[in-house]
Amino acid sequence: MSAMGSIMQMQGQMQAADAAKRTADYNANLADMQAKDAINRGNIEAEKQRMKTQQIAGAQRAAMGSSGAQVDSGSFGDILLDTSTMGEKDAQSIRTNALRQAWGLESQASMDRYEGAVKRDAGYGQATGTLLTGASSMATRFGWDKPKASATKGS
């Protein structure tokens, strides 16, 4: 392999390594954005659930009130409390699921970054190997790898 060929191959390997790192970083950034989106969507959906629960409780309160009964006490009060409790549990479940999804995406982003660093380092290692192999070939070709004869001193 010629010196120029070794240098060109080394540059190609380094460029490929850098491209792999950039691709992995892009994927990691995308996963980070998706994680933030999952949290935002979870918060929005949890709030929608709370509003829905308030609407249900309001409809229950109106129906109970139309019967002339005391709405905030006894069985009617228990029903309203149960509605509120279950609605909040639903909202928290929605939010928790969104956080779990975000955690998975953030984990993927970390793995993407790690993979990119490993691929870049492996590519640089290959490039170094190519350069050393080329240098060794050149040394052999030009005889630089043989010890020089030393001048012998006469007695």
Side-chain angles (χ1 to χ4, degrees):
M1 179 182 289
S2 72
M4 186 57 81
S6 293
I7 291 171
M8 296 298 289
Q9 185 176 357
M10 180 191 76
Q11 286 178 332
Q13 289 167 329
M14 291 177 69
Q15 288 172 350
D18 288 338
K21 175 76 167 95
R22 283 191 306 274
T23 299
D25 286 345
Y26 174 82
N27 290 338
N29 291 336
L30 185 60
D32 282 337
M33 288 187 286
Q34 289 172 330
K36 289 175 186 171
D37 182 60
I39 291 171
N40 289 337
R41 282 184 291 111
N43 288 337
I44 290 168
E45 291 303 314
E47 191 56 35
K48 283 181 182 178
Q49 178 59 41
R50 287 185 182 102
M51 292 169 62
K52 182 179 173 183
T53 300
Q54 288 174 351
Q55 289 173 343
I56 291 169
Q60 288 173 332
R61 187 180 300 273
M64 292 173 198
S66 68
S67 71
Q70 180 68 26
V71 175
D72 292 328
S73 64
S75 296
F76 289 142
D78 292 342
I79 291 171
L80 291 173
L81 180 60
D82 287 347
T83 299
S84 176
T85 301
M86 294 307 293
E88 185 56 29
K89 282 183 181 180
D90 288 344
Q92 289 300 319
S93 179
I94 290 167
R95 188 167 189 285
T96 299
N97 289 339
L99 290 171
R100 285 186 183 128
Q101 181 184 11
W103 178 77
L105 290 163
E106 289 165 352
S107 295
Q108 182 61 50
S110 293
M111 287 306 297
D112 286 342
R113 286 188 182 91
Y114 174 75
E115 182 181 329
V118 168
K119 284 182 177 180
R120 181 200 55 216
D121 292 347
Y124 280 27
Q126 287 177 335
T128 300
T130 297
L131 183 62
L132 293 174
T133 299
S136 174
S137 294
M138 293 295 294
T140 301
R141 185 174 186 185
F142 291 104
W144 298 334
D145 60 335
K146 297 184 172 102
K148 293 187 181 196
S150 59
T152 56
K153 294 184 179 181
S155 358

